[in-house]
Structure formats: C-alpha cells, structure tokens
Amino acid sequence: MIAALTGFMASGKTTFGRAAAEHLGCRFIDLDELITERYGTIKEIFESHGEDFFREMESRCLMDALSLDGNIVLALGGGTVLNRKNCELLQKKADTIIWLDTSFEIILSELKNADRPLVNGRSLDQIKDLYEKRKPLYRQIADTVVSIDSFDYSIAVNDLSDAIAGFLKN
Ligand code: S3P
C-alpha cells in the first residue's frame, strides 16, 4: 500500500507524514530525502545543475519509490505533481493520494525555518502567488484532502492517520 502525500512546500508532508507512518506502523519515505541520498542536497542540485535536472532526478526517484512493496507513506516534493508523467504514475501506483491543504499562515511560519531554492529570493506576494497557482494541481490529483489550519500538531497527525488507515494492507 502506498499513501502519497502532496501539498505545497512546508505544508507538513514530511513532519506529519513521518509521525502518521510511525503511528500506523508503516514505512516512511521522503522523496526529497531519497534524492538527497543519491545526488546531494536539493540546494546543491539546483545550484549546480538547475531545476530541470532536479526534476529528472525527482521523477527517477519517484518511479523507484512507487515500485516498493509494503505499507508505505510517501511524502512527495511540492513540485512533483507539476510533471504530467509523475501524476500518471502516481495515479496508477499509489493506493491513495492525500493533499495536505495547509493554511498559508502555517506554511509561512514553517518556511521561515527552511532553506528552499524556490523560496529564497522570492517576495511574500510571489510565494503566495505560487501557493495559489499550485493549489488546483494538488486538488486535482488528490482523492482525499486533509485540511491543516491549526498549529496543533496532534490534530494534523490524527487526521492524516485516519485518512491513511483504511488503505492499510496486512
Ligand atoms: C519543491 C519543493 C521541495 C523540493 C524542491 C522543489 C517545489 O520539497 O522538492 O525544493 O517545487 O515545490 P518540499 O515540498 O518538501 O519542500
């Protein structure tokens, strides 16, 4: 069983996904971590090879992650669903695709602690613009939406665990 988590940067895919996976006894895989293990940090990849190269490596790692067996919670990158082939593959191989629809207020507070190539150098308005532009993509591919609008960590983990629980395989 693969539960894929989509959503904007800093929406909590890694934090809540890891906690929900632990709670449910699933394996947790973070696509960005997989890319980093193989090719270096996301920042280094963007700086040395550019975004197109990063997207190719992202697709490669996605393909590998989606071919694994077992109960897996897979946190995607915020831009994984920009690629149509990635979306097709996700729709074919993931048992459920969950959108973490996290409020912009929470995302902003989380982004302050992070170093992300697509955020650095962008104004608040530009980030908000990207957030609004990406939303329809997440909405379109997801079969379940988990809304996160509270800073209470445990509510988000519970809601996400509930959304995944029905898909678990023995
Ligand atoms: C990206 C999101 C990042 C990472 C890369 C590009 C994006 O992942 O894959 O910086 O295009 O939104 P997170 O969503 O985990 O921050």
Side-chain angles (χ1 to χ4, degrees):
M1 185 282 322
I2 296 183
L5 310 184
T6 191
F8 198 67
M9 288 174 269
S11 58
K13 301 181 294 290
T14 303
T15 308
F16 303 134
R18 194 188 298 280
E22 197 172 313
H23 178 66
L24 296 166
C26 295
R27 177 173 174 194
F28 176 73
I29 297 176
D30 183 85
L31 194 57
D32 282 343
E33 275 175 21
L34 209 57
I35 298 167
T36 297
E37 275 165 25
R38 291 187 188 175
Y39 307 107
T41 67
I42 309 288
K43 194 174 171 212
E44 280 163 8
I45 300 173
F46 267 77
E47 280 172 5
S48 316
H49 305 285
E51 183 171 349
D52 288 352
F53 177 83
F54 169 78
R55 296 297 175 198
E56 278 174 40
M57 300 310 109
E58 184 178 41
S59 295
R60 243 187 240 186
C61 289
L62 176 67
M63 226 182 310
D64 293 346
L66 289 175
S67 65
L68 296 171
D69 293 322
N71 283 319
I72 294 169
V73 176
L74 171 65
L76 304 172
T80 310
V81 298
L82 296 175
N83 176 311
R84 192 176 44 84
K85 284 203 172 133
N86 289 349
C87 291
E88 285 167 7
L89 199 66
L90 277 161
Q91 276 161 336
K92 204 154 96 185
K93 302 263 189 148
D95 296 80
T96 179
I97 303 172
I98 300 167
W99 172 29
L100 296 193
D101 181 15
T102 305
S103 74
F104 192 62
E105 191 197 1
I106 295 179
I107 283 179
L108 266 194
S109 73
E110 291 301 314
L111 277 177
K112 281 190 194 124
N113 315 316
D115 189 11
R116 284 173 168 88
L118 289 182
V119 166
N120 296 345
R122 275 193 156 103
S123 70
L124 197 66
D125 281 350
Q126 286 170 324
I127 298 170
K128 175 87 171 146
D129 217 43
L130 189 63
Y131 172 79
E132 293 301 340
K133 272 205 191 107
R134 291 264 183 98
K135 264 183 161 187
L137 292 176
Y138 304 133
R139 185 178 290 119
Q140 203 175 350
I141 195 162
D143 47 65
T144 306
V145 182
V146 171
S147 299
I148 300 175
D149 43 25
S150 147
F151 281 88
D152 188 334
Y153 179 100
S154 60
I155 295 177
V157 176
N158 278 340
D159 289 353
L160 180 57
S161 300
D162 286 349
I164 299 169
F167 294 91
L168 292 176
K169 300 238 165 78
N170 294 321

